[in-house]
Amino acid sequence: LFGELLHKHGFVPDFEDSFTDGASASVKQANFSKVKSALAGAGSALGVRLKDAQISEIIQEDRGAALRVLYQLRQGLQKAGICA
């Protein structure tokens, strides 16, 4: 979901080639590594920093972990005027 959102707004141009569909922890970790890299480049514009602890919480499906990051991403996109 994070990769798709970043792709939709132009922060991950090669989404189909970069991200892997899968449920294993290693696939999730690899995908979040790419999301983290994309946010590092866009993060200053969006004000979103994805920390390793947050990635672990999302992968472990901790309640609300993904929602908190999605909210930050939404706020950053709105602030940048990219999303209404």
Side-chain angles (χ1 to χ4, degrees), residues 1 8-9 15 18 20 23 35 39 43 46-47 52-54 58 68 74:
L1 176 63
K8 178 181 177 183
H9 295 291
F15 174 75
S18 296
T20 307
V35 167
L39 284 175
L46 299 177
D52 291 335
Q54 290 172 302
I58 293 169
R68 286 188 291 275
R74 179 177 177 244

Side-chain angles (χ1 to χ4, degrees), residues 36-52:
K36 186 176 179 180
S37 295
L39 284 175
S44 59
L46 299 177
V48 179
R49 291 192 178 140
L50 189 59
K51 299 176 184 169
D52 291 335

